[in-house]
Amino acid sequence: MGKKVAPSILSADFARLGSEIQAVVDAGADWIHVDVMDGHFVPNITIGPPVVKSLRKITEVPLDVHLMIDHPEKYIKDFAQAGASNITIHVESTPSPAEVLKEIRKLSCRPGITLKPATPVAAILEFLPLVDLVLVMTVNPGFSGQEFMPAQAEKIREIRKQLDKIHSKALIEVDGGINAETAKLCLAADVFVAGNYIFKNNYAQAIKSLKELT
Ligand code: DX5
Ligand code: ZN
């Protein structure tokens, strides 16, 4: 299977968000990655359910919602109703990740768990049977345009082994500082999230350069 590419709209021109989405979809994007930040879990504030709702109206591609917020349980219903396809939570963001992941599935979305660079794989193991997605962060969450942390790539292989062990078909996503070079260190991943690399370059060429990695 070829790699999927999920452009992160955090690097798009928010004044022209609709046409930016259309352009990356036309350029081959498989998913649209939506970074939700609350100024608490991470030191930055971005967007919420109304933007997801507007995006849902203009595109059919899966909306991959990455929640970097405290108390995700309070907001998952809003995101699901707004049209999120995947909802990924950080393991540290709630005292009961298992409950939240089950709730996301009940809301007919695909549940995902994510780990920050400082989070060991052991912290998410117990949740792997509940998820369709594992998101490995290769920068500290909060901002686009940061430098890729190569030491994190090893986690992808480790998670793949653990998923195989439980016969899980969950996809592994990698997020942070991804470009055609850094992605080569992450070939065990299924989905490449990229913000700056896509939106600061020729969209179609950048997306193609990631999709063709094997
Ligand atoms: C960081 C976000 C990433 C980020 C990716 O907190 O989760 O999705 O926007 O942007 P680049 O690819 O520029 O690192
Ligand atoms: Zn993200």
Side-chain angles (χ1 to χ4, degrees):
M1 191 185 77
K3 304 297 183 193
K4 288 189 197 302
V5 176
S8 161
I9 60 167
L10 198 50
S11 302
D13 177 354
F14 273 45
R16 302 186 301 112
L17 197 49
S19 47
E20 289 275 73
I21 301 294
Q22 216 52 66
V24 284
V25 169
D26 291 346
D30 297 282
W31 296 352
I32 297 297
H33 185 80
V34 181
D35 287 306
V36 177
M37 307 186 186
D38 66 351
H40 290 269
F41 186 75
V42 290
N44 192 8
I45 299 178
T46 56
I47 58 171
V51 174
V52 172
K53 192 171 176 190
S54 299
L55 295 182
R56 186 70 295 164
K57 289 182 194 150
I58 61 146
T59 185
E60 308 256 288
V61 303
L63 298 176
D64 181 42
V65 175
H66 175 191
L67 296 183
M68 287 161 273
I69 63 175
D70 283 332
H71 306 298
E73 62 278 1
K74 285 191 193 168
Y75 303 97
I76 50 178
K77 196 167 174 203
D78 291 345
F79 281 102
Q81 284 175 350
S85 312
N86 311 329
I87 302 182
T88 294
I89 61 164
H90 276 261
V91 65
E92 297 90 351
S93 67
T94 165
S96 41
E99 296 314 309
V100 184
L101 293 166
K102 286 181 202 161
E103 191 62 34
I104 292 170
R105 197 179 291 285
K106 261 195 223 151
L107 291 162
S108 301
C109 296
R110 304 175 80 191
I113 190 84
T114 180
L115 64 180
K116 305 193 261 197
T119 307
V121 172
I124 63 159
L125 283 186
E126 64 179 295
F127 308 112
L128 292 184
L130 299 173
V131 303
D132 288 349
L133 284 171
V134 180
L135 192 157
V136 177
M137 294 224 57
T138 41
V139 298
N140 282 312
F143 301 91
S144 59
Q146 302 181 78
E147 207 175 316
F148 177 82
M149 299 164 80
Q152 297 302 313
E154 180 53 36
K155 280 184 186 168
I156 303 171
R157 285 184 284 269
E158 205 181 325
I159 291 166
R160 173 68 65 202
K161 265 191 225 151
Q162 297 292 341
L163 289 171
D164 286 348
K165 240 193 223 172
I166 61 167
H167 307 291
S168 167
K169 296 257 180 303
L171 299 179
I172 303 179
E173 238 182 322
V174 60
D175 183 11
I178 292 293
N179 58 43
E181 289 311 309
T182 58
K184 285 183 190 150
L185 302 172
C186 305
L187 294 177
D190 305 292
V191 186
F192 294 127
V193 175
N196 272 18
Y197 178 58
I198 294 172
F199 285 100
K200 305 268 186 256
N201 287 298
N202 176 289
Y203 299 175
Q205 278 171 16
I207 291 172
K208 182 165 174 278
S209 74
L210 295 174
K211 284 181 95 130
E212 68 192 11
L213 293 173
T214 46

